[in-house]
Amino acid sequence: MGFSESKLEALRRKYGESHGGELFNPQFRRVADKIFTKSGTRLAPYSGIPTFLTAPYMPVDNDEPDFGDLQVAIVGVPMDLGVTNRPGSRFGPRALRAIERIGPYNHVLDCAPVQDLRVADIGDVSFQSRYRLELSHDDIERRIGQIVEAGVAPLSVGGDHSISHPILKAVGKKRPVGMIHIDAHCDTGGAYDLTKFHHGGPFRNAVLDGVLDPTRTIQIGIRGSAEYLWEFTYESGMTVIHAEDVSGMGIPAVIEKAKKIVGDGPTYVSFDVDSLDPAFAPGTGTPEVGGLTTREVLEILRGLKGLNIVGGDVVEVAPQYDSTTNTAHAGAQVLFEILSLMVFSPAITGKEA
């Protein structure tokens, strides 16, 4: 049966004069009611002051913090003193804020996380010095500690991957957490050039500090010529899925493996943008050819719905090496996906998949 005149007339009566926010499907109307005004307008994505994921901006004092009733605090960490190769991820937070259109609806997870959660962009970590790495780590741990102590989940935007160590010291202070780590590198190397506080070793440091449980840690997308540096990963009991194994296993198997490893305990999600192949994300300090695609990363993350997520980070976006802004766009999308997972985290909202 073809498209009839009566069908056309019915569509005209229902949709002919309606605006974009007038939706009849209850699932979609639930989202539209949070986004559109009654007159049918919504905020232009290129207007206003840029914030992470267009979340409300809520400045929080550094010494006497008040997080109100927030469930999630998104915080910028513009520090890249721990890089081994190309610098520049200190500009990552600004680049992710400037991406003008991410969300509001996650059609796979069926949520609009900025609207479904009490979430705000609380600005950047306040650093005492732009030159001293260890002091910067102290500042990060202090700020994330304030967030955690207030019963709020931290979602951080770096910055180089060394920031994950002080973050985990705060998140795992009372109980070591598990971790889903998507990266090209295991980042469990030892000290060199007179310091262990660099972006190639945060997770060795976190395990040795007793804040990260290696037996509940899985590292996905690992590849490249630095494999010989990661023996701590294997000896401590972490699970590794190399990039070249992902296509053979299949994404559903990767997801099931990850869920089995972390179980229902508190879990941290750390995403390094260099997990993506440089074809998708060239703007990073240590690109490795042969990486994951953006679609693979999104599918993996969305498969984690219902896990007990207690925090997360997106790191290593160095926007000056990517004139297209694709790297920052990918990083912002992953930030959105992690925030979407938080909607279904028992630790944050009590919801389950």
Side-chain angles (χ1 to χ4, degrees):
M1 181 177 177
F3 187 62
S4 66
E5 187 68 27
S6 61
K7 176 66 173 177
L8 175 58
E9 285 302 316
L11 288 173
R12 284 172 174 166
R13 287 193 300 272
K14 188 171 184 179
Y15 292 105
E17 301 300 325
S18 65
H19 61 68
E22 285 186 279
L23 300 174
F24 301 92
N25 181 307
Q27 177 184 356
F28 298 147
R29 183 61 186 263
R30 172 175 53 85
V31 179
D33 284 346
K34 299 173 183 178
I35 307 300
F36 282 84
T37 66
K38 291 183 178 180
S39 63
T41 62
R42 57 176 177 166
L43 180 69
Y46 47 82
S47 66
I49 304 300
T51 63
F52 292 124
L53 308 180
T54 320
Y57 176 56
M58 177 180 167
V60 177
D61 189 81
N62 194 52
D63 297 315
E64 296 182 4
D66 181 359
F67 297 95
D69 66 347
L70 288 184
Q71 294 171 302
V72 179
I74 313 180
V75 57
V77 191
M79 193 284 297
D80 63 1
L81 297 174
V83 298
T84 57
N85 191 29
R86 304 189 300 191
S89 58
R90 67 182 61 185
F91 297 107
R94 181 170 290 183
L96 263 66
R97 286 188 174 105
I99 295 300
E100 70 279 358
R101 188 175 179 274
I102 299 291
Y105 182 55
N106 189 317
H107 74 284
V108 175
L109 299 184
D110 186 24
C111 65
V114 172
Q115 287 72 35
D116 292 342
L117 292 166
R118 298 188 300 276
V119 56
D121 179 342
I122 66 166
D124 292 343
V125 171
S126 178
F127 292 112
Q128 301 172 69
S129 170
R130 73 186 71 180
Y131 303 113
R132 296 180 60 185
L133 173 62
E134 289 85 350
L135 194 59
S136 294
H137 281 194
D138 290 343
D139 294 332
I140 295 167
E141 183 181 355
R142 179 173 182 266
R143 187 52 152 177
I144 301 301
Q146 292 173 343
I147 295 170
V148 172
E149 288 169 12
V152 181
L155 183 52
S156 306
V157 180
D160 72 60
H161 220 156
S162 74
I163 73 169
S164 295
H165 175 215
I167 292 172
L168 285 167
K169 287 174 71 176
V171 175
K173 183 177 181 180
K174 295 182 179 179
R175 174 186 176 186
V177 297
M179 182 176 66
I180 294 172
H181 172 208
I182 303 176
D183 201 331
H185 313 98
C186 288
D187 293 349
T188 52
Y192 58 90
D193 293 347
L194 306 181
T195 184
K196 64 180 181 179
F197 300 111
H198 51 77
H199 74 166
F203 303 122
R204 178 197 292 226
N205 297 336
V207 169
L208 295 178
D209 283 341
V211 295
L212 176 64
D213 181 350
T215 65
R216 293 187 55 242
T217 295
I218 185 167
Q219 302 181 303
I220 302 168
I222 307 303
R223 62 191 186 280
S225 58
E227 176 73 21
Y228 70 99
L229 296 173
W230 312 137
E231 67 177 10
F232 183 87
T233 281
Y234 300 103
E235 187 162 347
S236 65
M238 296 182 185
T239 299
V240 174
I241 298 178
H242 290 92
E244 55 268 25
D245 296 328
V246 170
S247 57
M249 291 179 62
I251 299 299
V254 172
I255 292 168
E256 287 307 308
K257 185 77 170 179
K259 293 167 72 173
K260 181 178 179 181
I261 292 295
V262 300
D264 59 3
T267 300
Y268 189 81
V269 178
S270 186
F271 176 81
D272 188 325
V273 80
D274 72 25
S275 63
L276 294 169
D277 190 272
F280 300 92
T284 190
T286 316
E288 298 279 4
V289 171
L292 303 173
T293 69
T294 49
R295 184 180 296 173
E296 286 172 332
V297 165
L298 297 186
E299 189 174 349
I300 290 169
L301 288 170
R302 290 165 177 171
L304 306 177
K305 181 179 180 181
L307 291 185
N308 197 19
I309 308 297
V310 295
D313 62 50
V314 174
V315 299
E316 299 284 356
V317 172
Q320 65 273 39
Y321 304 114
D322 181 3
S323 60
T324 69
T325 73
N326 283 353
T327 306
H329 201 147
Q333 185 67 46
V334 169
L335 188 71
F336 178 76
E337 300 297 332
I338 298 174
L339 184 64
S340 296
L341 291 176
M342 289 178 163
V343 174
F344 304 97
S345 170
I348 298 172
T349 63
K351 288 186 180 180
E352 298 183 10

